[in-house]
Amino acid sequence: MKRHLGHQALIIAVAACSYFTALGATRLWDEDEAFFATAAAEMHRHDDWIVPTFNEELFAHKPPFMYWMMRLGFLMFGVNELGARFFSAVFGIATAIVTYHLGRRLFDARAGLWAALALSTCLMWSIVSRASTADAYLGFFIALSLLVYARAVFAPREDTEAVEVPVAPSLAATLDRWVPSGWTTMAGIYALMAFAVLVKGPIGILLPGATIGLFVLCQTPSPSQIGDGLLKRGIARLRTMILAFPATFWRMRPLTAIAAVLLIAGPWFVAVAIKTDGAFLNEFFGVHNFGRFLKPMENHRGPIIYYIPVIAIGFFPWSIFAMPTALHSAFAPRDRSRHLFVLCWAGWMIGFFSIASTKLPNYVLPAYPALALLTGSWLAAWSARKDLLSARWPKLAFGTLATVGVLLIASLLGAPRLEIGGEPLLSKLGVNAALAPDLGRLFWLGFVPLAGGVIAIVLATRERRVAALWTSMAASTLFTASVLIVAAIALNPHQTSAPLASAFHRAGDSSGGAVQVGSFRHSPPSLIFYAGQHVERLKSADDAAGYLSGEGPRFLVTTDVGLKQLEAESDKTIRVIDRRPRFPRTGDVLLISFDRTETSGARTIEQAASEIPEMR
């Protein structure tokens, strides 16, 4: 018991240092984080717990759970970045603890510890645990529902040797063995899935429910013989699973699942349907669920292998162990049912989003605890000298870590200084050259994986396996924390929305009257959060000119390209109130208004801009 408490204390300490340190020190990052934080801020401002809005318009992207958590954060810390992000960090840590207990149940305490540390220090999970998005909440409820299932069907196994579970002789025996018989257990599992539905909709029950169903179907006995070829055995297995599907589906108590969703998530869906005359449900289900699956939205498309490089980066630094982890999961374990369960979890969730038309890196985050569990299983076996793989695999993995460090140093030192055809490389890549000095100063980040990889190789060569793993863990923690805290703070001054919002509020105060602001060719979600009011989005230069000509103090946020279009459209003098490099793309963003003062002769744009001091 003391060891388990010590493990959990270590997990919480490591994750908390990465997630809570300087959590509110940076402004909201566009686009997702700012979208959802703005919606929560508007619900908070209107004291509305039902209808999400963005820019004072219906925002049907997600159900309300994350907005509720952000509202609690706003009550605790104010309407700011810390309030929006706080409970993401809490749920990120909670998911790591759930992963630890899954590892304990399926493998042993050491595997659970390594799995939880891998999850809590990999790049992508750390990012969402420091962001005002739905991902940490969804990952928590899905992982917790699968933990309840695992505790119901897998016997406890601490540090004992694995024992192969015999294949059930019939479908009925399979269902008796792998589907919890107790109604209360299934009700508890579906209740947790229902909360996941409140986080992100139907996938809250589809992803974990299908994971359990796929695992049970994979356990059904197949009529194929040992001497049959691979293709014949595969066809026989598929046929068996198809025939077993109806009985498996019914045994999993679908009516209980429906009742749980209706009881927990149903009241809010009914309330939002009534308050919006069905508009929320039509857009949420029709556009943001079925629509995103069937066709790419907002140009978020990719090939079927899209998530292979995405996971390699998102699960870094622990993705360096991908090959030995895969080999260990496929060939080494004697008790294959436990690894099969985790493989079904990871395979189903990654496969489902791989065939979806719309693809985003965060879609597969519910599979990250499963990837961490598989990694933790191999790390525990290797450190205890129980793995059957070649000794070169760990050294290759640590070598990969060091190589990434070298490439990172070279990239951060070289890219900001390189030019192609007289134009900076960053500009060629669409990145604002104003970032070059700060990016170049971050070259030291590469020394963290470089040093960790080299030291781990030396220790592994000397057969000091545990020390090698703790070295790589320390390097992973330091690298991830450095990227998400130090590097983020270094780049934070380049964000433009907050200073632009402050500029038009100051200008409006000096002008008197209610401030009105619009945007043309530049309308990041964070601008609306920091504006704290409706921002009129204008589609053309003619619309922008007409907007600025209206009554009262009016301001426009635009780009240098938009300014040129507006200059060609209108003969009025344009006053540039603020101008700064666009982040992270090339060009500038500006805050402008029409000059309403009566002067002899119109000033040029350049003269007006020259009167404004440079702001960073």
Side-chain angles (χ1 to χ4, degrees), residues 540-573:
S540 68
D542 182 62
D543 292 340
Y547 179 82
L548 286 176
S549 299
E551 295 183 359
R554 291 180 178 240
F555 304 94
L556 184 74
V557 175
T558 188
T559 64
D560 48 349
V561 175
L563 179 61
K564 291 178 180 178
Q565 293 179 351
L566 189 59
E567 182 183 11
E569 183 69 29
S570 175
D571 58 358
K572 293 186 178 181
T573 301

Side-chain angles (χ1 to χ4, degrees), residues 305-346:
I305 61 170
Y306 172 87
Y307 288 109
I308 294 177
V310 163
I311 291 173
I313 297 171
F315 199 58
F316 185 83
W318 300 92
S319 55
I320 62 173
F321 301 116
M323 187 56 70
T325 294
L327 294 173
H328 176 76
S329 301
F331 302 112
R334 293 175 58 195
D335 185 356
R336 297 193 185 280
S337 61
R338 297 170 187 260
H339 278 80
L340 179 61
F341 171 65
V342 185
L343 287 169
C344 287
W345 177 354

Side-chain angles (χ1 to χ4, degrees), residues 23 165 351 380:
L23 184 59
V165 177

Side-chain angles (χ1 to χ4, degrees), residues 578-581 609-616:
D578 192 9
R579 183 177 192 138
R580 57 190 63 236
S610 66
E611 297 172 7
I612 306 300
E614 181 69 19
M615 297 180 67
R616 284 292 304 273

